Amino acid sequence: MTSPKKRPTPAHNSPRIGIVGLGIMGGIMAEELLRQGFKVCGFDIAPAAKARLKSHGGKPLASVQTVSDQSDIVIVSLATSHALQQVTQALADAAAKSKHTPLVIETSTLPLADKMHCAKALKAVGVTALDCPISGTAVRMKDRAWTIYASGPKAAFQQALPILNAFTDSVPHVGAYGNGTKMKYAANHLVAIYNVAYAESVTLARKMGLDPQQMLDLFGPSPVLGTGVMRLRMDMMVKQQYTPPTMKVEVWQKDMQVIGDMAKSLHCPTPVFNACASVYTAAMAQGLALHDTASTAEVLGRMAGLESPKSAK
């Protein structure tokens, strides 16, 4: 693992950051901002998440409205459309009552229609929102390996960029609000296929009597074959160790559904993606919901008659 680059200490007049949704992604963003000297407050419905924020020096608050009132920039990181709807309403109510309008950076991977509704509802009360989904897992942020697909007004993007650069140097502005989510769909479409492709390759290697570790050692650094997804997920497949997960199968199912629905709405054929979907569904059926998506290798391994380790059963 490469050492993360040191970032400059924020000035005393740096913006106050609020984070709504302190799960895996929101939590690690809060920790990194605090590590770099930013003032961070936050809210989550889970008491344990708020306790983690406090243990790292952040300020847990009692509501979304309070976070909005005490922040110049609010980062939103949520798992469901229902949560986004509730948070959007709370942010809009707070802005309407206090006339304080923080910039909102929405980072969740959710249906585009729900993200657009969020921006529209906030704009109605004078709040600007950016659509900035993140490509990369929580563990990869430590290597500054995230890409954040930022979309929305250019002026707001420039305001948000110093905060987003706390996590990564790869923050392209990809156009109008919503383009970030579209780009994330395209990225996750590839990741879904890569995971299963690497699982199939590892299974074939094992059936042929090859050492899959040697295969990873040869293919991982290759400028032709190697990818970051390969180096991350195939390593787990080789070890047949899928916990702790970088992305749970049960969470990934949500992304698969969203991407499939988008493709269907556009009448866009996705035969390879569709073929992969059943492998993730089988992983759920085989009790691997809380395991990493690399556990697709166990699904194919079992189909091939290979023995699974106790950790993957």
Side-chain angles (χ1 to χ4, degrees):
M1 180 181 294
T2 57
S3 299
K5 297 177 183 178
K6 292 183 178 180
R7 305 293 298 175
T9 302
H12 292 297
N13 62 349
S14 62
R16 300 168 299 165
I17 311 300
I19 299 183
V20 177
L22 296 166
I24 293 175
M25 298 295 277
I28 200 165
M29 283 191 277
E31 291 169 23
E32 183 60 23
L33 288 167
L34 288 164
R35 189 186 72 80
Q36 295 187 28
F38 288 93
K39 294 180 181 179
V40 180
C41 65
F43 172 77
D44 194 285
I45 59 173
K50 290 192 285 187
R52 284 196 303 273
L53 176 65
K54 186 176 181 179
S55 72
H56 284 89
K59 183 180 179 182
L61 296 175
S63 68
V64 174
Q65 291 91 332
T66 312
V67 171
S68 177
D69 290 341
Q70 296 190 21
S71 304
D72 301 305
I73 293 176
V74 176
I75 298 174
V76 177
S77 178
L78 303 168
T80 69
S81 292
H82 179 65
L84 178 60
Q85 182 181 13
Q86 291 183 313
V87 168
T88 298
Q89 187 62 56
L91 290 171
D93 289 346
K97 290 176 182 177
S98 69
K99 305 303 180 183
H100 174 62
T101 54
L103 173 63
V104 173
I105 304 175
E106 214 302 308
T107 67
S108 315
T109 300
L110 294 168
L112 182 59
D114 297 325
K115 303 265 282 194
M116 299 300 289
H117 176 268
C118 170
K120 183 178 180 181
L122 293 177
K123 185 177 181 180
V125 292
V127 175
T128 298
L130 290 171
D131 171 38
C132 299
I134 299 163
S135 183
T137 61
V139 69
R140 297 296 286 155
M141 195 269 283
K142 296 176 182 178
D143 298 328
R144 298 187 60 78
W146 280 1
T147 296
I148 300 176
Y149 302 114
S151 60
K154 268 290 186 70
F157 167 71
Q158 292 299 332
Q159 181 184 348
L161 189 57
I163 306 305
L164 299 177
N165 279 154
F167 313 125
T168 178
D169 297 312
S170 181
V171 189
H173 184 264
V174 295
Y177 183 98
N179 277 6
T181 285
K182 293 175 183 177
M183 196 68 73
K184 179 64 184 297
Y185 291 169
N188 279 9
H189 167 269
L190 281 174
V191 171
I193 294 168
Y194 286 163
N195 283 339
V196 176
Y198 300 144
E200 188 172 296
S201 186
V202 166
T203 301
L204 177 61
R206 286 196 167 111
K207 290 294 285 188
M208 292 191 298
L210 292 176
D211 178 0
Q213 180 63 59
Q214 185 181 36
M215 182 176 69
L216 176 57
D217 292 343
L218 292 171
F219 295 174
S222 168
V224 176
L225 298 174
T227 68
V229 178
M230 172 186 280
R231 291 185 288 273
L232 173 67
R233 295 268 157 66
M234 193 180 281
D235 181 63
M236 302 176 82
M237 294 173 184
V238 168
K239 296 172 181 172
Q240 294 183 276
Q241 181 63 51
Y242 309 108
T243 55
T246 63
M247 170 58 72
K248 296 176 184 176
V249 173
E250 68 175 8
V251 176
W252 188 247
Q253 289 290 80
K254 177 261 297 182
D255 286 10
M256 296 287 290
Q257 182 69 46
V258 169
I259 295 166
D261 288 346
M262 171 60 79
K264 186 176 181 180
S265 72
L266 297 171
H267 308 293
C268 179
T270 53
V272 179
F273 177 81
N274 293 346
C276 291
S278 62
V279 181
Y280 294 101
T281 302
M284 293 287 290
Q286 293 179 17
L288 299 169
L290 301 181
H291 291 61
D292 193 89
T293 53
S295 62
T296 48
E298 294 309 308
V299 175
L300 297 183
R302 292 169 188 177
M303 291 172 66
L306 295 172
E307 182 69 22
S308 294
K310 291 181 180 179
S311 60
K313 292 182 179 178

